[in-house]
Amino acid sequence: MWRIPFFSYSLSFLHRHFFKIPFGVISQTFSVKRNYPGTKFYRTSGTLLIFIILFLFIKPFFLLAQLPTDPVLPAGTASAETKIPSPDNPAPSVPAADGNAPQNTVLNISIPLWEREPFDRIILKNAKKRKIFDIQPLVIPEGVSLNPDALRKAFKTSKLQIRLLEDPENLRQIPFSNLDKILRFEDILIEEARQLILDKNFDDAYECLKFVRSEYPETRNLNAAYQFFLEREAANYIREKNYEMALVRVYALAELNPKYARLPNIYVPLVKNLWKENLNKKNYAVGGQFIREIQKILPDHPDVKKLVAEMNEKVEEMKADIQKSQNTGNIHQAILVSREMMELSPDRKDVINLAKKIREQYPQVNVGITWCATQVQPVLLNDWASLRTRRLIYRPLVEFRGPGPEGGEYISPLGTLLVENLNRTLRLNILPEIGWDGTDVKLTAYDISRQLLRCIDSQDVQHDPLLSDIFQSVEVSSPTEITLHLRQAHVLPKSLLQMPVLPFSSAKNISPDTLTNGPFVPKSFNDKPLSIHHGILNIPVTDSVSGNAPVILRYSASSNYFLDKIETEEKSGNRPLQIIETKFDKGRNASVALIQNQIQVLDRVNPWELSILQNAKEHVTVTPYAVPRTHVLLPNRNKPLLSNRIFRRALVYGINRDIILSHLLGKKSYPGCQVISGPFSVGASHGDPLAYAYDSHIPPRKYDPYLAALLARVAISQVLKPEEIKKIENQRKEAEKKELPEATSEKTSEEKNKSPDQNKSQTQKSEKSDSEEKNQEKPSVLPMEPLILAHPPHELARISCLQIQRQLAIIGIPVTLYEFKTHETVEMREDFDLIYAELTMAEPLLDARRLLSAQGPTGRCSSHMDMALRQLDAATDWNQISRILKRIHRLCYDDTAVIPLWQILDHYAYHNSVEGIGEKVFSLYENIEEWQLK
């Protein structure tokens, strides 16, 4: 009931005071007597309600009256009154989400200016408050300047029509007389970049200028702003002593504007520092290049003239050192200094003539190697370093020259070798006057016949089973002619004669092991004689030229080489008479040395560093070898665990070969590099005839660590007895207990030095880490002795074996790595379990027996494999050979005779100052007689 008098009073109040409308009827309908209870309350409440209604009705009119007549500066524009929030001008704090007191939270609404939509900016004159306004881009006729007078004439009006960024719907007009300046978006960006440069925010300044150069390349003052950027950033790098980055900026600035006013103030001190730094490091090529570059840009600067004088003084000192070395007979030192002199000043004619004269007197080639050869006879499949060096020292009866359409191509360097009687007769005509270095002994047909008889003698160390099976007789027609008869035909009879030759008949007082018949003779650096006992080189590991890298061997041209009867003095002045091999532990150092011409040839480029040398193609040539190398793990099958096929298969499943190969290749793909399923080569490309032994239908096994761990446990349970397993576990537990007290004692001594708060926090961290370790599953170590994995002493094998060790540890197989020393031969030993081998399977027809037979490096062979190898020896046509080899591939895959990893096509590189090396050679020194120095 109380609602009726309340509403009636409200209507009557409105009628009397405001609207004068006939509310009488409505008011009378809801009227009540004055003596009605609560009348005073209704009057008061009605009056309050009327005021509330009036306030809500009149408030919008007050807000409209407060709007300014002038344009309001858009929020977020860069002006004197409003600025974009930035680290220097943060946005105001905002209330917390729960409605409590405001927190120090900054609204991150800062957007780089060059990422915003384009806009223009106008600046008004004679304004008291806001002078700068950001507007939507103006449409200005082409060829009209931004001058207000020019715009007034172009538009033929007294006012400029604009739309503010914050109010684009309303069109506004500003008299041209009030305009002071109009800035386009690109001009605003240039000003922004200048401010960023002054604030040393070079990254954002570069992005800003990059945007302008891309979108508005014709902007006024763009080049000036970019030059200012290069100058300031170079100066900043110099203060940080980052001279290399500063030099890049200075070079860019000099190329953009060689006459830049402040360029000498930065360029000259920078080159001074770099010259001294490289001079101390003996980087003459780099230091000289700096001086030559600044001389081109600032030839008249006094400090530049001083630097040029210092460089010339250094050249004169080198000339004196060369003369002194020549007088004392130290030819190598004279060659070394002359090369450094050429690096420092390659443009001077006197320097060029002197270096050329020294090179003609005793030409020399420095070869960078990653693996030193330790033996040269016989050559093992897994020792490509010995294969490289053998070509320098020995010339065998027959040499492999590379893959051909059907098997390999073979030649005889000792004479003319003919195959007759349907591959059952070989006739050799020997070159006359074939001798050995330092002796008067000559090779005859009788010496070769004696060597053939040694190869068929089962008691001799040089016994060849394949040759002895098909050998019938040997006939010596004259001292220079010999004929070999075979019982049955062979598809490649020349390949059976890859054997060394020795002077058995006339060398009575000479040890055959020390004789060499190659183009070069190994010598130590101080000309001490080097002995070769049973094909093993006595290498002076500590011998060196300088402190940069050890020189492993020096090879001098043989004065009695049978293919070069011309005297040494009459030889071509450009032909190298000395080869110096310098071993590098890291391939990157070798690549840099090749680029800087410190070495002229690099025998092997790490695959992940190919791009470094390929980018230097103006000075360096990079070429792949003719035959890829297959990387495998050779198991010692005389060990109980490694003789188990299940365990060998576990090793295959436990190694993620795809990941390791991708890491070795630098996450790139190269032809001839892939994961393999057997020991034979896939070939360098599709359709390569070298792949006649590889069965492409056998895919490589996939990485499966769970299956690998299971197979390893099964193999261990089959090979080891329970008491042996228990003994190994007890030994491991005792070893862990011995390590624990030492760790705890070290921990307590450290805790004593800490404060109580630090100890408390450390205890909390350790409890947390212990709980996390409990939640994580750790791979348990299998009850077995650690496997010893031996690998060659070079970087690629070192990295690969380290990855294999880590991956096998995941499945619980412990591995201990052993790296062969420089003077050690890479061969299987009794204490080794595995050997990382890089096989050169150039001729699978012959190499299959050398690798997989019982006389091979693994030590054992299955009966099925032995039968397949015998069938291969008896094969008479290539279709049959290919079919048998693919069956051998299948047997090797099923039995896991070797653990296949991957195939890599190695590359060699040489400086353009050396010619005649050849393309896709089988070994580095294959064409050593044709090498020429420019």
Side-chain angles (χ1 to χ4, degrees), residues 735-772:
E736 291 176 355
K737 288 180 181 179
K738 291 180 180 180
E739 294 177 358
L740 285 176
E742 298 178 359
T744 54
S745 62
E746 293 177 359
K747 181 179 179 181
T748 53
S749 62
E750 292 178 356
E751 288 178 351
K752 290 179 181 179
N753 299 327
K754 293 183 178 179
S755 62
D757 295 337
Q758 291 177 337
N759 287 329
K760 184 177 179 180
S761 61
Q762 186 68 26
T763 304
Q764 294 175 353
K765 291 181 181 179
S766 61
E767 292 176 355
K768 184 178 180 180
S769 61
D770 292 342
S771 63
E772 291 177 354

Side-chain angles (χ1 to χ4, degrees), residues 716-733:
I716 290 174
S717 63
Q718 292 179 356
V719 174
L720 301 180
K721 297 179 181 180
E723 54 270 18
E724 294 178 351
I725 296 175
K726 188 175 181 180
K727 180 180 179 182
I728 293 173
E729 291 178 345
N730 292 335
Q731 291 177 352
R732 182 172 297 138
K733 290 179 181 179

Side-chain angles (χ1 to χ4, degrees), residues 390-401 409-418 428-435 443 448 494 497-501 517-519 561-565 925-926 928-929:
R390 180 187 184 185
R391 176 61 178 81
L392 284 179
I393 302 174
Y394 283 108
R395 300 304 301 272
L397 184 60
V398 171
E399 290 180 348
F400 177 84
R401 294 291 293 181
E409 296 181 352
Y410 298 87
I411 64 167
S412 176
L414 305 181
T416 304
L417 181 63
L418 302 176
L428 175 65
N429 293 317
I430 305 174
L431 294 174
E433 301 297 324
I434 296 179
L443 181 68
I448 297 178
K494 290 183 179 180
L497 302 182
Q498 299 182 77
M499 62 185 69
V501 290
N517 65 341
Y561 184 40
F562 61 91
L563 291 181
D564 188 8
K565 297 302 181 181
Y925 300 124
E926 181 176 305
I928 186 62
E929 294 87 357

Side-chain angles (χ1 to χ4, degrees), residues 606-617:
N606 289 329
W608 63 88
E609 294 167 351
L610 280 172
S611 58
I612 298 177
L613 295 179
Q614 288 172 349
N615 293 334
K617 57 184 178 181

Side-chain angles (χ1 to χ4, degrees), residues 377-581:
Q377 177 188 350
V379 176
L380 299 178
L381 292 175
N382 60 335
D383 194 346
W384 59 265
S386 296
L387 178 66
R388 175 197 69 226
T389 305
R390 180 187 184 185
R391 176 61 178 81
L392 284 179
I393 302 174
Y394 283 108
R395 300 304 301 272
L397 184 60
V398 171
E399 290 180 348
F400 177 84
R401 294 291 293 181
E406 289 186 346
E409 296 181 352
Y410 298 87
I411 64 167
S412 176
L414 305 181
T416 304
L417 181 63
L418 302 176
V419 180
E420 303 172 347
N421 193 17
L422 298 177
N423 290 355
R424 294 183 60 182
T425 302
L426 292 94
R427 191 181 306 277
L428 175 65
N429 293 317
I430 305 174
L431 294 174
E433 301 297 324
I434 296 179
W436 279 260
D437 184 77
T439 67
D440 296 331
V441 180
K442 306 300 179 182
L443 181 68
T444 64
Y446 302 102
D447 299 325
I448 297 178
S449 64
R450 289 284 303 272
Q451 185 67 38
L452 291 173
L453 295 176
R454 287 189 63 182
C455 292
I456 64 174
D457 186 1
S458 59
Q459 304 298 324
D460 198 284
V461 293
Q462 295 188 11
H463 174 251
D464 188 346
L466 181 57
L467 181 61
S468 62
D469 288 344
I470 64 175
F471 179 86
Q472 181 176 357
S473 63
V474 59
E475 177 184 350
V476 178
S477 304
S478 68
T480 60
E481 185 177 352
I482 184 172
T483 304
L484 174 64
H485 300 280
L486 305 178
R487 283 200 298 266
Q488 66 184 44
H490 192 273
V491 291
L492 285 175
K494 290 183 179 180
S495 64
L496 303 177
L497 302 182
Q498 299 182 77
M499 62 185 69
V501 290
L502 297 172
F504 289 97
S505 58
S506 55
K508 297 181 179 179
N509 299 324
I510 300 176
S511 174
D513 290 331
T514 61
L515 296 179
T516 62
N517 65 341
F520 285 81
V521 179
K523 293 183 179 180
S524 72
F525 198 71
N526 53 7
D527 288 331
K528 292 181 180 179
L530 293 180
S531 59
I532 307 175
H533 296 289
H534 302 289
I536 308 299
L537 289 173
N538 181 17
I539 299 174
V541 181
T542 57
D543 197 9
S544 62
V545 181
S546 60
N548 297 331
V551 174
I552 302 304
L553 270 181
R554 179 167 68 104
Y555 303 94
S556 297
S558 174
S559 59
N560 198 24
Y561 184 40
F562 61 91
L563 291 181
D564 188 8
K565 297 302 181 181
I566 305 175
E567 295 297 330
T568 304
E569 291 79 6
E570 298 179 0
K571 291 180 182 179
S572 174
N574 293 332
R575 181 176 174 181
L577 299 181
Q578 190 177 72
I579 304 293
I580 293 182
E581 291 186 341

Side-chain angles (χ1 to χ4, degrees), residues 828-849:
M828 186 68 73
R829 303 178 190 173
E830 294 182 359
D831 55 334
F832 292 162
D833 295 285
L834 297 165
I835 285 184
Y836 182 89
E838 303 174 18
L839 305 177
T840 307
M841 305 292 284
E843 193 66 81
L845 173 63
L846 306 177
D847 297 335
R849 171 169 290 280

